[in-house]
Amino acid sequence: MPDQLEPDSILREITDLDARIGELRQAAGMPAPDLRATLDAALVELELALEALRALGADQSSSAGSSAAAETERRVLRTVFQDAPVPLFLIDRDTSVRRVNRQAAALLGTSPGYVSGKQFTAFCDLATRAALRSQLAGVVRTGRRRRVPVRLLGRERPVDAVVTLARVWIRGEPDPMVVAVAGAAAGAANGGAEDAGRQERKAPDRQERENAGRQEAAAKREAPAKAAPREPAPAAAPANPLPAAPRADEDETVATVVHRMDVLANAAELLMDEPVFNETVAVRRCARLLAAELADWAIVDLVGADTSPQAAAVPWQPGDAGPPDPAGVGGGRLQRQVVMGPDDERSVHAAQMIEKLDPAPGTLPASVFTTRQSTLRPHIEDLELLGTGPDGQPVCGTIGATTTMCVPIEEGDRCLGTITLASSGEHGPFDLMDLAVVQRLGRYLALVIRAARLYRRRAEVAETLQSSLLPRRLPAIPGVEVAAHYTAATHGAEVGGDFYDVFRTGDGWGMVLGDVCGKGEDAAAVTATARHGVRLMSRWRDDPAEVLSAVNHALLDEDRFVTAVMAGLKPGGDRVTITLGTAGHPPALVVRADGVIRTASRGGVPLGLFNDFEAGIDTVDLGPGDTLFLHSDGVLEACDLNRREFGQERLLETLAGTATASVQEMLDAVERALLDFCDGDLRDDVSMLALRVLPRELA
């Protein structure tokens, strides 16, 4: 077949040329580009354009001579191809691999069937792909042989080679093909030193783990041999025994398995090592571990925390009405959460850009999320597999990815998101063992996310219910300053039993602070009964002891008891008379303006226990600057790391030190002292209520 182009094929040649020029531009903008190879390829494209112009309208020449040559070349290919001692690839003009021999498959560390049908450039590093496409096009068009340096992505590590490209015509094929012969590049004889260098460039922790795995494997293999007694030799041994498997390969395989098991163990420890499940922390820990141990880049995408039935991700099945929703079945939209990559400046900039890109329909994460099927792409052919950036460049090209995988994060019947890993292929492509590890880790992460979202939802419900049990704002009482403070325990997501209230009575004002035994929804019901019961009974009775007695009868049918302290306020001139009723609660404290502190009388039994109820009673007089301080037992029982309680003395010291501050500043000071003492770890809810008599000029 002639070298000239038919007029009808000009359009195809122009389209192919445009695509290859675009790839050359991308290659020139990559990290550490091979500008010489890119320039050579650009010159080839110029030659092709010139040939296309010359061939426009040219007639085809006779094909008799070429047919004989083609038949000869075909016989040569049949004879030589499989038994050739060098790697051979038969490539279409669109760079698809039609056939490979055993040597070529061994060079890539895979099988001939896996290579066939894929783009030849998918087995080359990104820096040389664009130039290689142009050189292939040049060979197809001109018939002149070319030698191109490439870096083939082998199973264990890249292989530097020089590929000789030669055009062949095969009968029955409308277009010419190219035979690629791969040979060792200059300096490849020093492969041992180069391999050592590549090993040194591995992440230090990953290399240490692999070395440890090899040592452990060797120890396990040798230990039985040392311990077992020597058996007598068999009477007759085979004349040609099979050679033993190489020990180095054995160690390498076992080391890989040990390393993957170590990754899973570390993942479980990192994800579960949280006293309170935190989705953000878990996702970042998972991505950081994967980027350090298995890949160059780790990307996690998640849907929102909507747990309604409409948001449940149901996998699409063939035959279902309508195609799957790429944005997330049931309305859940897949959103980018975390991107972890190398820490060099360019990679950090790329990670920031990728974090802003939610998975688009048709990308690998969106497809895996929709189908809930893990996907392994050992060799990336489509660089837009992970989407394109704002600059129009493919994400795979930006991060230098040649191998990728993506697994769903799923628990039960819901898919919560995806984990995507990508690497340059420097340590070989991802394999099924890597995929199995990441699949298991995806299930671990799904369980943590589910627990975190349930915990957060319960915490939100508890917070809403708790706020409904406390007054939104305190009323303004003439002549006095009132402040309150509530701090929930740092552990658990249940509703606390603390409550307080300030309300108007028949001829004055009332204050109450109490604590229901236990937590949760049942305790919340009792809390509401106690708080509103005190407020309601105070409309008809002024004596706190009588009010508490009536509430006691209302709580006798409940299975929880309540401790409380109530104060009745009677303003008179510049002083306020306080009548106190106590039901098994820590006593009220009176902080005088000069810092002297008096403890009111104790007494009474908790509400809801006995029919025969009697409250502890006391009366105090407050002058200008004096403060009445009510608190729950969570203040006194807060513990430090040595399990020592905060106690009464520390509370009194804090109150005395803030006697002249505002009541709100006084409560803030007590809270700071508590959190400092227990290092922020409150085991019980804390409630405080304070009232101060204002001087006449401030009243």
Side-chain angles (χ1 to χ4, degrees):
M1 192 169 291
D3 293 345
Q4 284 80 9
L5 290 172
E6 295 180 359
D8 293 341
S9 65
I10 292 294
L11 183 59
R12 184 183 66 179
E13 291 290 339
I14 294 176
T15 301
D16 293 345
L17 179 63
D18 183 63
R20 293 194 301 269
I21 290 175
E23 290 185 354
L24 289 174
R25 289 197 185 98
Q26 293 177 12
M30 292 183 58
D34 189 346
L35 296 179
R36 176 59 183 272
T38 305
L39 177 61
D40 291 343
L43 293 175
V44 171
E45 297 294 359
L46 288 175
E47 294 176 2
L48 292 179
L50 180 61
E51 291 288 340
L53 291 174
R54 289 176 176 172
L56 185 60
D59 295 330
Q60 294 190 30
S61 59
S62 172
S63 59
S66 60
S67 297
E71 185 62 27
T72 301
E73 291 186 18
R74 184 174 182 179
R75 288 197 299 270
V76 171
L77 282 176
R78 285 176 176 175
T79 306
V80 173
F81 198 84
Q82 286 298 332
D83 297 329
V86 294
L88 296 176
F89 301 82
L90 182 62
I91 306 170
D92 286 341
R93 65 178 300 152
D94 63 354
T95 75
S96 295
V97 177
R98 183 69 66 88
R99 189 177 303 167
V100 297
N101 68 350
R102 289 183 292 271
Q103 292 289 340
L107 179 67
L108 298 176
T110 185
S111 64
Y114 174 76
V115 181
S116 299
K118 293 183 171 58
Q119 296 288 315
F120 179 66
T121 51
F123 298 95
C124 306
D125 70 340
L126 293 181
T128 58
R129 288 189 183 185
L132 181 59
R133 284 185 184 276
S134 295
Q135 297 287 7
L136 282 167
V139 172
V140 170
R141 183 67 195 93
T142 66
R144 292 194 292 269
R145 295 187 178 184
R146 300 182 186 275
R147 290 172 55 86
V148 184
V150 298
R151 201 165 197 224
L152 298 173
L153 301 175
R155 182 177 181 82
E156 299 297 333
R157 60 186 62 87
V159 178
D160 292 320
V162 174
V163 175
T164 301
L165 306 175
R167 187 183 69 179
V168 295
W169 294 93
I170 297 179
R171 177 176 294 180
E173 296 292 340
D175 296 315
M177 294 188 180
V178 174
V179 172
V181 184
N190 298 325
E194 293 179 2
D195 291 346
R198 296 190 188 104
Q199 294 291 334
E200 291 175 0
R201 289 194 293 271
K202 285 187 178 182
D205 53 349
R206 192 189 310 179
Q207 183 62 41
E208 291 173 3
R209 293 181 189 277
E210 291 183 359
N211 290 338
R214 293 189 185 94
Q215 294 173 4
E216 183 176 347
K220 288 181 179 179
R221 187 183 63 251
E222 295 176 4
K226 294 180 180 179
R230 179 176 300 177
E231 298 181 359
N240 297 306
L242 294 175
R247 179 170 298 183
D249 292 347
E250 213 174 274
D251 287 350
E252 188 74 30
T253 302
V254 176
T256 301
V257 174
V258 171
H259 178 238
R260 300 302 187 267
M261 293 174 63
D262 197 23
V263 170
L264 281 177
N266 287 341
E269 182 178 352
L270 287 175
L271 294 178
M272 303 302 175
D273 186 24
E274 279 292 316
V276 177
F277 288 117
N278 187 305
E279 178 179 330
T280 302
V281 172
V283 170
R284 294 192 68 84
R285 284 182 173 181
C286 176
R288 187 178 297 110
L289 175 69
L290 290 172
E293 297 290 349
L294 292 181
D296 297 331
W297 292 84
I299 303 172
V300 180
D301 303 310
L302 297 175
V303 292
D306 184 3
T307 55
S308 63
Q310 292 79 11
V314 180
W316 178 82
Q317 299 292 338
D320 289 352
D325 177 10
V329 177
R333 188 167 64 89
L334 198 60
Q335 297 176 305
R336 187 130 297 159
Q337 300 294 315
V338 177
V339 177
M340 291 286 180
D343 56 3
D344 59 276
E345 183 177 355
R346 183 184 179 93
S347 297
V348 170
H349 178 73
Q352 293 172 348
M353 180 270 292
I354 298 171
E355 282 182 344
K356 300 176 183 178
L357 298 176
D358 289 340
T363 60
L364 182 61
S367 300
V368 169
F369 173 70
T370 301
T371 63
R372 294 175 62 176
Q373 297 294 322
S374 299
T375 301
L376 172 64
R377 299 289 176 86
H379 298 89
I380 297 176
E381 297 181 85
D382 180 9
L383 293 184
E384 296 184 357
L385 190 65
L386 301 182
T388 56
D391 57 356
Q393 298 299 316
V395 170
C396 290
T398 301
I399 64 178
T402 62
T403 178
T404 187
M405 72 171 79
C406 186
V407 303
I409 302 173
E410 55 183 344
E411 53 88 19
D413 59 349
R414 298 192 67 240
C415 186
L416 305 178
T418 60
I419 299 175
T420 305
L421 301 187
S423 282
S424 65
E426 184 68 24
H427 306 299
F430 293 130
D431 54 26
L432 291 177
M433 186 182 299
D434 297 320
L435 185 67
V437 170
V438 182
Q439 284 178 317
R440 178 64 61 86
L441 203 154
R443 288 192 286 270
Y444 288 171
L445 184 58
L447 293 175
V448 175
I449 292 175
R450 178 175 180 270
R453 291 182 177 180
L454 288 175
Y455 179 89
R456 186 167 69 245
R457 190 163 67 92
R458 291 198 57 172
E460 291 171 353
V461 172
E463 184 179 353
T464 301
L465 184 54
Q466 186 74 62
S467 63
S468 70
L469 301 175
L470 301 174
R472 293 187 177 182
R473 63 181 63 87
L474 299 179
I477 303 177
V480 299
E481 180 186 6
V482 184
H485 192 90
Y486 172 80
T487 304
T490 53
H491 290 267
E494 294 184 306
V495 184
D498 286 12
F499 66 94
Y500 60 82
D501 202 358
V502 179
F503 46 87
R504 186 181 291 276
T505 61
D507 58 352
W509 293 86
M511 300 171 57
V512 65
L513 187 144
D515 187 3
V516 176
C517 172
K519 294 179 180 295
E521 288 79 0
D522 294 340
V526 178
T527 301
T529 301
R531 176 198 168 194
H532 295 296
V534 169
R535 175 186 278 263
L536 181 63
M537 295 305 300
S538 296
R539 289 181 176 271
W540 294 282
R541 302 182 184 183
D542 294 332
D543 186 0
E546 295 180 4
V547 172
L548 292 176
S549 179
V551 174
N552 175 71
H553 285 288
L555 295 175
L556 287 175
D557 293 334
E558 303 290 346
D559 59 354
R560 297 174 186 268
F561 64 86
V562 180
T563 66
V565 56
M566 180 180 173
L569 286 63
K570 295 293 190 298
D574 60 350
R575 305 188 70 80
V576 175
T577 300
I578 305 290
T579 304
L580 293 169
T582 306
H585 198 82
L589 301 175
V590 177
V591 184
R592 299 298 182 185
D594 57 4
V596 176
I597 300 177
R598 175 200 163 186
T599 301
S601 298
R602 299 173 179 271
V605 295
L607 305 172
L609 289 178
F610 309 108
N611 279 310
D612 186 13
F613 173 81
E614 186 175 351
I617 301 173
D618 199 358
T619 302
V620 296
D621 242 5
L622 299 182
D626 293 344
T627 304
L628 178 70
F629 181 83
L630 309 179
H631 64 90
S632 64
D633 58 4
V635 176
L636 304 179
E637 296 174 0
C639 295
D640 64 5
L641 296 177
N642 297 319
R643 309 305 300 164
R644 294 178 301 177
E645 292 187 347
F646 187 74
Q648 183 90 351
E649 289 302 319
R650 290 186 178 85
L651 175 60
L652 297 181
E653 290 177 6
T654 305
L655 294 175
T658 55
T660 59
S662 68
V663 288
Q664 187 61 58
E665 291 173 340
M666 176 183 284
L667 300 186
D668 291 342
V670 174
E671 183 193 29
R672 285 195 303 271
L674 276 175
L675 295 178
D676 290 343
F677 179 76
C678 67
D679 196 25
D681 186 15
L682 286 175
R683 299 286 173 169
D684 195 7
D685 301 334
V686 169
S687 296
M688 296 178 285
L689 183 61
L691 174 147
R692 175 174 298 165
V693 179
L694 297 174
R696 184 175 296 275
E697 60 272 14
L698 299 178

